[in-house]
Amino acid sequence: MTKPYTITTAISYPNGRPHIGHAYEAIATDAFARFQRMMGRDVFFQTGTDEHGLKMAQTARGKGVTPQELADEMSAYFKQMCDKLNVSYDRFIRTSEPDHHRASQALWRAMEANGDLYLDRYEGWYSVRDEAFYDEKELSDGEGGVKLSPQGTPVEWTVEESWFFRLSKYQEPLLALYRDHPEFIQPESRRNEVMRFVEGGLSDLSVSRTSFDWGVKVPGSEGHVMYVWVDALTNYLTGCGYPDDAERMARYWADGGDITHIIGKDIVRFHAVYWPAFLMSAKLPLPKKVFGHGFLLNRGEKMSKSLGNVADPLELAEKFGVDQLRYFLLAEVSFGNDGSYSAEAIVQRANSDLANSFGNLAQRTLSFIAKNLDGRLPWDRTTVGEEDPDGELLAQIQYACSVEVPRALEQLAPSVAVEAWMRAVFACNAYIDTQAPWTLRKTDPARMEAVLATLYVAIGQLAIAIRPIIPTGADALLDQLGVADKDRTYSELERGWYRRLVESGFTLAPPKPLFPRLELPADASTPPA
């Protein structure tokens, strides 16, 4: 029996509306969750919003609302984004929820019981924008004498009473973790960065604030709220039932469990250094994998409000289609690296792959069957040798869809999965052009049916294989093909479903086009707002 699978996005900081980077992470994580479900696994997929901290308090004050009112409004936009983009989360968590406060305080008490928290005075550099503390050695000089963090955000000197976490105590255990479990931090470039940081020496970490009160209260310490990253990281435990639901924890956050965090590369340190140290201190299991993906660039430029090139993912989905946007983002960008997008690139990729190659293959094959066989499924040869063109094609499709695509998705490489899938689509298009069933209709009707049956099976398998990437379009095609829900899994990528369809007397209705060609919007020359 396979282990349950827990996967999370980072929780988004909702001091503004979501942008395409948030959508990219949610879509990719959704594809991995859908893939694991199709492999028959018990999956828990969590996303949500990280609602505490000084930045939220300052933004709310500037808008003349309470932090809770700001969190309610902005969190709703992130949930709407996930729902519109077909993100199949099992829980959308909000850190302002009471059960999350209980979980955060329970983690705090566990770290305190281990002797890893002490009260002292904090003096150091703090970035409000990053909600992060930085050592002097990490800073650079900006214009006007302003000190900048490694992320390029301004830092300010902060002095206040604070609780500290004995992070320095965990330097060697962390290095042992990275050495003994090289898969813990991915890709390799992120692992190397984190190891260099930890090898350079760890200072104890300030983990409470007294200068504001919008956060989880530190148990037994009047006036202190938790440093936002202690609170935020704990969300992963909250969703898995910590601290009250031992049965759920044993299911989704167990020793040796399969737990994956998908996050942006700018927050790898928090997830790969602070988080495992907190868990070690609390004597809780560690996640299996932290994957830091790259940034999305608008026409090669980093997105910023000042440049006016921050894209609204819902506007992009409205213009181009949800499946088309999902497909583009996962096909175009090598997951882990930075990638660029533009309206032209989305239209070109969606048209070439989905409309012209796969959509046209399905449309002309199914239309031919509906018209020339009155929708009756074509005769299926009982044996197909791999040396003949039918068997050769089916073997190639089988290998691509049941080996290459799942292997790539297991390795968190969606662009590699799409490449393998497209090679199989091209093979089908080459096969139909070579076999020319429209000619066989007059010269060899039996051979025509064998060709059409081969294509029907191949198209069905291709639709099943791509479901994690484009779930709506794939399922709509599988509905037209008559493929039962129970057969839409990687374990069913064989010919049995087709034989059952033939025996059931299923009749194919005239197909509806699923991936219409996109036109470039008139305003595509300017970055979408």
Side-chain angles (χ1 to χ4, degrees), residues 62-76:
K63 290 177 174 288
V65 298
T66 67
Q68 185 66 62
E69 288 171 333
L70 176 66
D72 290 345
E73 177 192 357
M74 291 297 171
S75 181

Side-chain angles (χ1 to χ4, degrees), residues 5 7 26-41 43 45 82-83 85-90 322-323 326 409 464 466-472 475 488-490:
Y5 183 76
I7 189 166
I27 288 167
T29 310
D30 177 66
F32 303 140
R34 287 176 181 273
F35 158 70
Q36 294 290 350
R37 292 188 194 111
M38 286 177 61
M39 293 296 289
R41 300 186 71 178
V43 173
F45 168 24
C82 288
D83 293 340
L85 297 177
N86 213 353
V87 175
S88 60
Y89 57 84
D90 295 294
V322 171
D323 273 351
R326 288 175 62 108
L409 291 174
I464 293 169
I466 202 65
R467 281 184 77 215
I469 310 290
I470 51 169
T472 301
D475 278 337
R488 300 179 187 188
T489 68
Y490 287 102

Side-chain angles (χ1 to χ4, degrees), residues 254-332:
D255 274 315
D258 203 345
I259 304 160
T260 297
H261 298 313
I262 305 295
I263 59 168
K265 65 181 182 180
D266 55 331
I267 55 173
V268 168
R269 179 193 304 179
F270 304 102
H271 286 78
V273 180
Y274 302 166
W275 182 225
F278 295 160
L279 291 168
M280 289 176 185
S281 173
K283 304 188 185 322
L284 290 168
L286 304 185
K288 180 179 179 181
K289 191 178 301 178
V290 173
F291 193 103
H293 62 76
F295 292 146
L296 275 184
L297 308 175
N298 190 329
R299 302 172 189 274
E301 291 186 329
K302 192 169 182 179
M303 288 180 285
S304 77
K305 291 178 181 176
S306 61
L307 291 175
N309 65 351
V310 179
D312 181 336
L314 297 188
E315 284 188 16
L316 290 173
E318 185 69 28
K319 283 181 180 178
F320 304 118
V322 171
D323 273 351
Q324 287 84 347
L325 179 62
R326 288 175 62 108
Y327 183 86
F328 170 81
L329 291 175
L330 299 185
E332 189 78 8

Side-chain angles (χ1 to χ4, degrees), residues 24-194:
Y24 176 53
E25 181 170 298
I27 288 167
T29 310
D30 177 66
F32 303 140
R34 287 176 181 273
F35 158 70
Q36 294 290 350
R37 292 188 194 111
M38 286 177 61
M39 293 296 289
R41 300 186 71 178
D42 172 12
V43 173
F44 174 61
F45 168 24
Q46 179 163 295
T47 188
T49 45
D50 169 18
E51 299 174 11
H52 294 134
L54 179 58
K55 190 162 47 174
M56 283 290 284
Q58 290 180 343
T59 302
R61 190 181 311 121
K63 290 177 174 288
V65 298
T66 67
Q68 185 66 62
E69 288 171 333
L70 176 66
D72 290 345
E73 177 192 357
M74 291 297 171
S75 181
Y77 293 130
F78 283 85
K79 188 171 185 298
Q80 178 191 37
M81 176 196 75
C82 288
D83 293 340
K84 293 279 189 183
L85 297 177
N86 213 353
V87 175
S88 60
Y89 57 84
D90 295 294
R91 178 166 179 180
F92 187 95
I93 193 167
R94 298 183 55 192
T95 57
S96 57
E97 294 168 351
D99 65 340
H100 177 68
H101 283 240
R102 285 196 305 276
S104 300
Q105 290 173 337
L107 182 74
W108 183 280
R109 291 189 185 98
M111 295 192 296
E112 189 174 37
N114 202 41
D116 288 336
L117 297 175
Y118 62 92
L119 195 61
D120 204 339
R121 181 180 176 84
Y122 176 78
E123 294 189 28
W125 297 102
Y126 185 74
S127 165
V128 174
R129 197 177 305 171
D130 298 343
E131 297 282 9
F133 302 101
Y134 293 101
D135 288 337
E136 182 86 36
K137 63 186 178 184
E138 299 179 80
L139 305 181
S140 59
D141 293 323
E143 293 182 6
V146 174
K147 296 281 189 183
L148 299 177
S149 76
Q151 312 302 332
T153 58
V155 296
E156 53 191 47
W157 187 257
T158 302
V159 180
E160 62 181 296
E161 182 184 70
S162 176
W163 283 92
F164 282 78
F165 173 72
R166 298 185 193 277
L167 184 63
S168 57
K169 170 182 169 181
Y170 291 93
Q171 179 170 334
E172 290 309 315
L174 286 169
L175 290 173
L177 169 66
Y178 309 148
R179 182 178 61 250
D180 298 343
H181 299 279
E183 76 286 354
F184 178 70
I185 307 171
Q186 294 184 18
E188 183 70 14
S189 59
R190 312 273 185 261
R191 178 173 177 268
N192 293 336
E193 290 168 8
V194 169

Side-chain angles (χ1 to χ4, degrees), residues 381-459:
R381 294 159 66 188
T382 54
T383 59
V384 179
E386 290 195 10
E387 296 305 314
D388 68 32
D390 304 353
E392 186 178 323
L393 178 71
L394 290 174
Q396 183 175 349
I397 301 303
Q398 180 75 19
Y399 184 73
C401 293
S402 64
V403 178
E404 291 182 304
V405 170
R407 182 171 59 202
L409 291 174
E410 182 70 49
Q411 295 171 351
L412 308 182
S415 64
V416 176
V418 170
E419 286 173 12
W421 183 77
M422 278 306 303
R423 285 195 297 272
V425 171
F426 292 148
C428 286
N429 279 309
Y431 170 88
I432 193 173
D433 289 341
T434 301
Q435 297 301 315
W438 46 88
T439 301
L440 292 171
R441 179 169 58 89
K442 298 176 182 176
T443 61
D444 190 346
R447 176 64 192 146
M448 175 196 74
E449 292 209 18
V451 168
L452 294 174
T454 299
L455 287 165
Y456 202 101
V457 171
I459 291 166

